[in-house]
mmCIF file with all atom_site columns, all heavy atoms in Angstrom:
data_model
loop_
_atom_site.group_PDB
_atom_site.id
_atom_site.type_symbol
_atom_site.label_atom_id
_atom_site.label_alt_id
_atom_site.label_comp_id
_atom_site.label_asym_id
_atom_site.label_entity_id
_atom_site.label_seq_id
_atom_site.pdbx_PDB_ins_code
_atom_site.Cartn_x
_atom_site.Cartn_y
_atom_site.Cartn_z
_atom_site.occupancy
_atom_site.B_iso_or_equiv
_atom_site.pdbx_formal_charge
_atom_site.auth_seq_id
_atom_site.auth_comp_id
_atom_site.auth_asym_id
_atom_site.auth_atom_id
_atom_site.pdbx_PDB_model_num
ATOM 1   N N   . THR A 1 2  ? -31.929 -24.054 -28.190 1.00 69.00 ? 2  THR A N   1
ATOM 2   C CA  . THR A 1 2  ? -30.996 -25.223 -28.304 1.00 69.00 ? 2  THR A CA  1
ATOM 3   C C   . THR A 1 2  ? -30.651 -25.777 -26.972 1.00 69.00 ? 2  THR A C   1
ATOM 4   O O   . THR A 1 2  ? -30.904 -25.185 -25.916 1.00 69.00 ? 2  THR A O   1
ATOM 5   C CB  . THR A 1 2  ? -29.713 -24.828 -29.062 1.00 69.00 ? 2  THR A CB  1
ATOM 6   O OG1 . THR A 1 2  ? -29.064 -23.852 -28.279 1.00 69.00 ? 2  THR A OG1 1
ATOM 7   C CG2 . THR A 1 2  ? -30.080 -24.190 -30.397 1.00 69.00 ? 2  THR A CG2 1
ATOM 8   N N   . THR A 1 3  ? -30.027 -26.979 -27.018 1.00 66.00 ? 3  THR A N   1
ATOM 9   C CA  . THR A 1 3  ? -29.611 -27.605 -25.766 1.00 66.00 ? 3  THR A CA  1
ATOM 10  C C   . THR A 1 3  ? -28.573 -26.847 -25.040 1.00 66.00 ? 3  THR A C   1
ATOM 11  O O   . THR A 1 3  ? -28.556 -26.694 -23.795 1.00 66.00 ? 3  THR A O   1
ATOM 12  C CB  . THR A 1 3  ? -29.107 -29.035 -26.065 1.00 66.00 ? 3  THR A CB  1
ATOM 13  O OG1 . THR A 1 3  ? -30.101 -29.789 -26.816 1.00 66.00 ? 3  THR A OG1 1
ATOM 14  C CG2 . THR A 1 3  ? -28.783 -29.761 -24.766 1.00 66.00 ? 3  THR A CG2 1
ATOM 15  N N   . GLU A 1 4  ? -27.599 -26.230 -25.834 1.00 62.00 ? 4  GLU A N   1
ATOM 16  C CA  . GLU A 1 4  ? -26.540 -25.416 -25.217 1.00 62.00 ? 4  GLU A CA  1
ATOM 17  C C   . GLU A 1 4  ? -27.125 -24.216 -24.529 1.00 62.00 ? 4  GLU A C   1
ATOM 18  O O   . GLU A 1 4  ? -26.667 -23.823 -23.489 1.00 62.00 ? 4  GLU A O   1
ATOM 19  C CB  . GLU A 1 4  ? -25.511 -25.024 -26.328 1.00 62.00 ? 4  GLU A CB  1
ATOM 20  C CG  . GLU A 1 4  ? -24.690 -26.173 -26.827 1.00 62.00 ? 4  GLU A CG  1
ATOM 21  C CD  . GLU A 1 4  ? -25.432 -27.002 -27.878 1.00 62.00 ? 4  GLU A CD  1
ATOM 22  O OE1 . GLU A 1 4  ? -26.586 -26.587 -28.204 1.00 62.00 ? 4  GLU A OE1 1
ATOM 23  O OE2 . GLU A 1 4  ? -24.935 -28.050 -28.313 1.00 62.00 ? 4  GLU A OE2 1
ATOM 24  N N   . GLU A 1 5  ? -28.106 -23.556 -25.167 1.00 55.00 ? 5  GLU A N   1
ATOM 25  C CA  . GLU A 1 5  ? -28.695 -22.386 -24.581 1.00 55.00 ? 5  GLU A CA  1
ATOM 26  C C   . GLU A 1 5  ? -29.435 -22.704 -23.308 1.00 55.00 ? 5  GLU A C   1
ATOM 27  O O   . GLU A 1 5  ? -29.365 -21.986 -22.284 1.00 55.00 ? 5  GLU A O   1
ATOM 28  C CB  . GLU A 1 5  ? -29.605 -21.689 -25.589 1.00 55.00 ? 5  GLU A CB  1
ATOM 29  C CG  . GLU A 1 5  ? -28.897 -21.076 -26.757 1.00 55.00 ? 5  GLU A CG  1
ATOM 30  C CD  . GLU A 1 5  ? -29.878 -20.557 -27.823 1.00 55.00 ? 5  GLU A CD  1
ATOM 31  O OE1 . GLU A 1 5  ? -31.093 -20.947 -27.740 1.00 55.00 ? 5  GLU A OE1 1
ATOM 32  O OE2 . GLU A 1 5  ? -29.452 -19.764 -28.647 1.00 55.00 ? 5  GLU A OE2 1
ATOM 33  N N   . ALA A 1 6  ? -30.120 -23.875 -23.301 1.00 57.00 ? 6  ALA A N   1
ATOM 34  C CA  . ALA A 1 6  ? -30.866 -24.244 -22.114 1.00 57.00 ? 6  ALA A CA  1
ATOM 35  C C   . ALA A 1 6  ? -29.884 -24.567 -20.993 1.00 57.00 ? 6  ALA A C   1
ATOM 36  O O   . ALA A 1 6  ? -30.104 -24.214 -19.789 1.00 57.00 ? 6  ALA A O   1
ATOM 37  C CB  . ALA A 1 6  ? -31.734 -25.459 -22.416 1.00 57.00 ? 6  ALA A CB  1
ATOM 38  N N   . ALA A 1 7  ? -28.749 -25.249 -21.305 1.00 58.00 ? 7  ALA A N   1
ATOM 39  C CA  . ALA A 1 7  ? -27.809 -25.529 -20.258 1.00 58.00 ? 7  ALA A CA  1
ATOM 40  C C   . ALA A 1 7  ? -27.155 -24.260 -19.712 1.00 58.00 ? 7  ALA A C   1
ATOM 41  O O   . ALA A 1 7  ? -26.883 -24.135 -18.513 1.00 58.00 ? 7  ALA A O   1
ATOM 42  C CB  . ALA A 1 7  ? -26.686 -26.455 -20.859 1.00 58.00 ? 7  ALA A CB  1
ATOM 43  N N   . PHE A 1 8  ? -26.921 -23.299 -20.614 1.00 50.00 ? 8  PHE A N   1
ATOM 44  C CA  . PHE A 1 8  ? -26.322 -22.010 -20.168 1.00 50.00 ? 8  PHE A CA  1
ATOM 45  C C   . PHE A 1 8  ? -27.257 -21.286 -19.197 1.00 50.00 ? 8  PHE A C   1
ATOM 46  O O   . PHE A 1 8  ? -26.856 -20.730 -18.177 1.00 50.00 ? 8  PHE A O   1
ATOM 47  C CB  . PHE A 1 8  ? -26.013 -21.144 -21.372 1.00 50.00 ? 8  PHE A CB  1
ATOM 48  C CG  . PHE A 1 8  ? -25.573 -19.772 -20.971 1.00 50.00 ? 8  PHE A CG  1
ATOM 49  C CD1 . PHE A 1 8  ? -24.225 -19.585 -20.556 1.00 50.00 ? 8  PHE A CD1 1
ATOM 50  C CD2 . PHE A 1 8  ? -26.397 -18.679 -21.101 1.00 50.00 ? 8  PHE A CD2 1
ATOM 51  C CE1 . PHE A 1 8  ? -23.784 -18.335 -20.203 1.00 50.00 ? 8  PHE A CE1 1
ATOM 52  C CE2 . PHE A 1 8  ? -25.966 -17.420 -20.739 1.00 50.00 ? 8  PHE A CE2 1
ATOM 53  C CZ  . PHE A 1 8  ? -24.649 -17.203 -20.315 1.00 50.00 ? 8  PHE A CZ  1
ATOM 54  N N   . LEU A 1 9  ? -28.572 -21.292 -19.541 1.00 55.00 ? 9  LEU A N   1
ATOM 55  C CA  . LEU A 1 9  ? -29.552 -20.643 -18.633 1.00 55.00 ? 9  LEU A CA  1
ATOM 56  C C   . LEU A 1 9  ? -29.638 -21.332 -17.310 1.00 55.00 ? 9  LEU A C   1
ATOM 57  O O   . LEU A 1 9  ? -29.836 -20.689 -16.286 1.00 55.00 ? 9  LEU A O   1
ATOM 58  C CB  . LEU A 1 9  ? -30.927 -20.590 -19.332 1.00 55.00 ? 9  LEU A CB  1
ATOM 59  C CG  . LEU A 1 9  ? -31.034 -19.690 -20.537 1.00 55.00 ? 9  LEU A CG  1
ATOM 60  C CD1 . LEU A 1 9  ? -32.418 -19.817 -21.172 1.00 55.00 ? 9  LEU A CD1 1
ATOM 61  C CD2 . LEU A 1 9  ? -30.755 -18.226 -20.102 1.00 55.00 ? 9  LEU A CD2 1
ATOM 62  N N   . ARG A 1 10 ? -29.505 -22.652 -17.281 1.00 63.00 ? 10 ARG A N   1
ATOM 63  C CA  . ARG A 1 10 ? -29.559 -23.351 -16.024 1.00 63.00 ? 10 ARG A CA  1
ATOM 64  C C   . ARG A 1 10 ? -28.357 -23.015 -15.125 1.00 63.00 ? 10 ARG A C   1
ATOM 65  O O   . ARG A 1 10 ? -28.490 -22.918 -13.916 1.00 63.00 ? 10 ARG A O   1
ATOM 66  C CB  . ARG A 1 10 ? -29.620 -24.882 -16.271 1.00 63.00 ? 10 ARG A CB  1
ATOM 67  C CG  . ARG A 1 10 ? -30.957 -25.410 -16.745 1.00 63.00 ? 10 ARG A CG  1
ATOM 68  C CD  . ARG A 1 10 ? -31.030 -26.932 -16.580 1.00 63.00 ? 10 ARG A CD  1
ATOM 69  N NE  . ARG A 1 10 ? -29.902 -27.620 -17.216 1.00 63.00 ? 10 ARG A NE  1
ATOM 70  C CZ  . ARG A 1 10 ? -29.956 -28.027 -18.476 1.00 63.00 ? 10 ARG A CZ  1
ATOM 71  N NH1 . ARG A 1 10 ? -31.022 -27.820 -19.231 1.00 63.00 ? 10 ARG A NH1 1
ATOM 72  N NH2 . ARG A 1 10 ? -28.947 -28.675 -19.018 1.00 63.00 ? 10 ARG A NH2 1
ATOM 73  N N   . HIS A 1 11 ? -27.199 -22.852 -15.745 1.00 68.00 ? 11 HIS A N   1
ATOM 74  C CA  . HIS A 1 11 ? -26.005 -22.541 -14.987 1.00 68.00 ? 11 HIS A CA  1
ATOM 75  C C   . HIS A 1 11 ? -25.747 -21.042 -14.771 1.00 68.00 ? 11 HIS A C   1
ATOM 76  O O   . HIS A 1 11 ? -24.766 -20.679 -14.150 1.00 68.00 ? 11 HIS A O   1
ATOM 77  C CB  . HIS A 1 11 ? -24.752 -23.150 -15.701 1.00 68.00 ? 11 HIS A CB  1
ATOM 78  C CG  . HIS A 1 11 ? -24.728 -24.636 -15.685 1.00 68.00 ? 11 HIS A CG  1
ATOM 79  N ND1 . HIS A 1 11 ? -25.258 -25.424 -16.636 1.00 68.00 ? 11 HIS A ND1 1
ATOM 80  C CD2 . HIS A 1 11 ? -24.190 -25.515 -14.734 1.00 68.00 ? 11 HIS A CD2 1
ATOM 81  C CE1 . HIS A 1 11 ? -25.052 -26.687 -16.346 1.00 68.00 ? 11 HIS A CE1 1
ATOM 82  N NE2 . HIS A 1 11 ? -24.461 -26.782 -15.199 1.00 68.00 ? 11 HIS A NE2 1
ATOM 83  N N   . LEU A 1 12 ? -26.656 -20.257 -15.308 1.00 71.00 ? 12 LEU A N   1
ATOM 84  C CA  . LEU A 1 12 ? -26.456 -18.768 -15.200 1.00 71.00 ? 12 LEU A CA  1
ATOM 85  C C   . LEU A 1 12 ? -26.454 -18.331 -13.765 1.00 71.00 ? 12 LEU A C   1
ATOM 86  O O   . LEU A 1 12 ? -25.595 -17.461 -13.340 1.00 71.00 ? 12 LEU A O   1
ATOM 87  C CB  . LEU A 1 12 ? -27.498 -18.044 -15.977 1.00 71.00 ? 12 LEU A CB  1
ATOM 88  C CG  . LEU A 1 12 ? -27.305 -16.549 -16.122 1.00 71.00 ? 12 LEU A CG  1
ATOM 89  C CD1 . LEU A 1 12 ? -25.976 -16.238 -16.791 1.00 71.00 ? 12 LEU A CD1 1
ATOM 90  C CD2 . LEU A 1 12 ? -28.462 -15.914 -16.969 1.00 71.00 ? 12 LEU A CD2 1
ATOM 91  N N   . PRO A 1 13 ? -27.317 -18.794 -12.836 1.00 76.00 ? 13 PRO A N   1
ATOM 92  C CA  . PRO A 1 13 ? -27.236 -18.333 -11.413 1.00 76.00 ? 13 PRO A CA  1
ATOM 93  C C   . PRO A 1 13 ? -25.931 -18.731 -10.773 1.00 76.00 ? 13 PRO A C   1
ATOM 94  O O   . PRO A 1 13 ? -25.378 -17.949 -9.995  1.00 76.00 ? 13 PRO A O   1
ATOM 95  C CB  . PRO A 1 13 ? -28.446 -19.035 -10.745 1.00 76.00 ? 13 PRO A CB  1
ATOM 96  C CG  . PRO A 1 13 ? -29.380 -19.298 -11.892 1.00 76.00 ? 13 PRO A CG  1
ATOM 97  C CD  . PRO A 1 13 ? -28.538 -19.562 -13.073 1.00 76.00 ? 13 PRO A CD  1
ATOM 98  N N   . ASP A 1 14 ? -25.422 -19.923 -11.090 1.00 78.00 ? 14 ASP A N   1
ATOM 99  C CA  . ASP A 1 14 ? -24.124 -20.349 -10.524 1.00 78.00 ? 14 ASP A CA  1
ATOM 100 C C   . ASP A 1 14 ? -23.006 -19.423 -11.025 1.00 78.00 ? 14 ASP A C   1
ATOM 101 O O   . ASP A 1 14 ? -22.158 -19.072 -10.273 1.00 78.00 ? 14 ASP A O   1
ATOM 102 C CB  . ASP A 1 14 ? -23.816 -21.833 -10.929 1.00 78.00 ? 14 ASP A CB  1
ATOM 103 C CG  . ASP A 1 14 ? -24.886 -22.761 -10.357 1.00 78.00 ? 14 ASP A CG  1
ATOM 104 O OD1 . ASP A 1 14 ? -25.688 -22.375 -9.490  1.00 78.00 ? 14 ASP A OD1 1
ATOM 105 O OD2 . ASP A 1 14 ? -24.911 -23.928 -10.850 1.00 78.00 ? 14 ASP A OD2 1
ATOM 106 N N   . LEU A 1 15 ? -23.094 -19.094 -12.316 1.00 83.00 ? 15 LEU A N   1
ATOM 107 C CA  . LEU A 1 15 ? -22.040 -18.269 -12.904 1.00 83.00 ? 15 LEU A CA  1
ATOM 108 C C   . LEU A 1 15 ? -22.108 -16.844 -12.269 1.00 83.00 ? 15 LEU A C   1
ATOM 109 O O   . LEU A 1 15 ? -21.047 -16.260 -12.021 1.00 83.00 ? 15 LEU A O   1
ATOM 110 C CB  . LEU A 1 15 ? -22.172 -18.256 -14.402 1.00 83.00 ? 15 LEU A CB  1
ATOM 111 C CG  . LEU A 1 15 ? -21.174 -17.434 -15.212 1.00 83.00 ? 15 LEU A CG  1
ATOM 112 C CD1 . LEU A 1 15 ? -19.730 -18.067 -14.998 1.00 83.00 ? 15 LEU A CD1 1
ATOM 113 C CD2 . LEU A 1 15 ? -21.494 -17.419 -16.676 1.00 83.00 ? 15 LEU A CD2 1
ATOM 114 N N   . ALA A 1 16 ? -23.302 -16.348 -12.088 1.00 85.00 ? 16 ALA A N   1
ATOM 115 C CA  . ALA A 1 16 ? -23.473 -15.043 -11.507 1.00 85.00 ? 16 ALA A CA  1
ATOM 116 C C   . ALA A 1 16 ? -22.926 -14.922 -10.073 1.00 85.00 ? 16 ALA A C   1
ATOM 117 O O   . ALA A 1 16 ? -22.250 -13.982 -9.725  1.00 85.00 ? 16 ALA A O   1
ATOM 118 C CB  . ALA A 1 16 ? -24.953 -14.597 -11.575 1.00 85.00 ? 16 ALA A CB  1
ATOM 119 N N   . PHE A 1 17 ? -23.213 -15.999 -9.336  1.00 88.00 ? 17 PHE A N   1
ATOM 120 C CA  . PHE A 1 17 ? -22.699 -16.020 -7.941  1.00 88.00 ? 17 PHE A CA  1
ATOM 121 C C   . PHE A 1 17 ? -21.170 -16.125 -7.956  1.00 88.00 ? 17 PHE A C   1
ATOM 122 O O   . PHE A 1 17 ? -20.468 -15.482 -7.154  1.00 88.00 ? 17 PHE A O   1
ATOM 123 C CB  . PHE A 1 17 ? -23.295 -17.201 -7.194  1.00 88.00 ? 17 PHE A CB  1
ATOM 124 C CG  . PHE A 1 17 ? -22.861 -17.278 -5.751  1.00 88.00 ? 17 PHE A CG  1
ATOM 125 C CD1 . PHE A 1 17 ? -23.339 -16.409 -4.820  1.00 88.00 ? 17 PHE A CD1 1
ATOM 126 C CD2 . PHE A 1 17 ? -21.946 -18.277 -5.341  1.00 88.00 ? 17 PHE A CD2 1
ATOM 127 C CE1 . PHE A 1 17 ? -22.959 -16.466 -3.485  1.00 88.00 ? 17 PHE A CE1 1
ATOM 128 C CE2 . PHE A 1 17 ? -21.537 -18.322 -4.034  1.00 88.00 ? 17 PHE A CE2 1
ATOM 129 C CZ  . PHE A 1 17 ? -22.051 -17.433 -3.133  1.00 88.00 ? 17 PHE A CZ  1
ATOM 130 N N   . ALA A 1 18 ? -20.596 -16.968 -8.863  1.00 89.00 ? 18 ALA A N   1
ATOM 131 C CA  . ALA A 1 18 ? -19.158 -17.084 -8.909  1.00 89.00 ? 18 ALA A CA  1
ATOM 132 C C   . ALA A 1 18 ? -18.515 -15.720 -9.317  1.00 89.00 ? 18 ALA A C   1
ATOM 133 O O   . ALA A 1 18 ? -17.489 -15.348 -8.754  1.00 89.00 ? 18 ALA A O   1
ATOM 134 C CB  . ALA A 1 18 ? -18.762 -18.149 -9.936  1.00 89.00 ? 18 ALA A CB  1
ATOM 135 N N   . PHE A 1 19 ? -19.158 -15.036 -10.236 1.00 90.00 ? 19 PHE A N   1
ATOM 136 C CA  . PHE A 1 19 ? -18.606 -13.716 -10.659 1.00 90.00 ? 19 PHE A CA  1
ATOM 137 C C   . PHE A 1 19 ? -18.720 -12.752 -9.462  1.00 90.00 ? 19 PHE A C   1
ATOM 138 O O   . PHE A 1 19 ? -17.768 -11.942 -9.269  1.00 90.00 ? 19 PHE A O   1
ATOM 139 C CB  . PHE A 1 19 ? -19.417 -13.185 -11.824 1.00 90.00 ? 19 PHE A CB  1
ATOM 140 C CG  . PHE A 1 19 ? -18.973 -11.815 -12.307 1.00 90.00 ? 19 PHE A CG  1
ATOM 141 C CD1 . PHE A 1 19 ? -17.766 -11.670 -13.007 1.00 90.00 ? 19 PHE A CD1 1
ATOM 142 C CD2 . PHE A 1 19 ? -19.714 -10.709 -11.979 1.00 90.00 ? 19 PHE A CD2 1
ATOM 143 C CE1 . PHE A 1 19 ? -17.308 -10.408 -13.385 1.00 90.00 ? 19 PHE A CE1 1
ATOM 144 C CE2 . PHE A 1 19 ? -19.297 -9.443  -12.438 1.00 90.00 ? 19 PHE A CE2 1
ATOM 145 C CZ  . PHE A 1 19 ? -18.106 -9.280  -13.114 1.00 90.00 ? 19 PHE A CZ  1
ATOM 146 N N   . ALA A 1 20 ? -19.793 -12.801 -8.705  1.00 91.00 ? 20 ALA A N   1
ATOM 147 C CA  . ALA A 1 20 ? -19.877 -11.896 -7.530  1.00 91.00 ? 20 ALA A CA  1
ATOM 148 C C   . ALA A 1 20 ? -18.762 -12.170 -6.493  1.00 91.00 ? 20 ALA A C   1
ATOM 149 O O   . ALA A 1 20 ? -18.215 -11.222 -5.925  1.00 91.00 ? 20 ALA A O   1
ATOM 150 C CB  . ALA A 1 20 ? -21.261 -12.073 -6.887  1.00 91.00 ? 20 ALA A CB  1
ATOM 151 N N   . LEU A 1 21 ? -18.463 -13.462 -6.298  1.00 91.00 ? 21 LEU A N   1
ATOM 152 C CA  . LEU A 1 21 ? -17.353 -13.775 -5.364  1.00 91.00 ? 21 LEU A CA  1
ATOM 153 C C   . LEU A 1 21 ? -16.047 -13.255 -5.883  1.00 91.00 ? 21 LEU A C   1
ATOM 154 O O   . LEU A 1 21 ? -15.297 -12.644 -5.015  1.00 91.00 ? 21 LEU A O   1
ATOM 155 C CB  . LEU A 1 21 ? -17.262 -15.286 -5.215  1.00 91.00 ? 21 LEU A CB  1
ATOM 156 C CG  . LEU A 1 21 ? -18.407 -16.013 -4.423  1.00 91.00 ? 21 LEU A CG  1
ATOM 157 C CD1 . LEU A 1 21 ? -18.137 -17.501 -4.383  1.00 91.00 ? 21 LEU A CD1 1
ATOM 158 C CD2 . LEU A 1 21 ? -18.489 -15.443 -2.968  1.00 91.00 ? 21 LEU A CD2 1
#
Side-chain angles (χ1 to χ4, degrees):
T2 64
T3 306
E4 292 78 7
E5 291 174 344
F8 175 76
L9 289 177
R10 285 197 305 270
H11 290 91
L12 189 58
D14 299 345
L15 184 61
F17 182 74
F19 178 75
L21 288 178

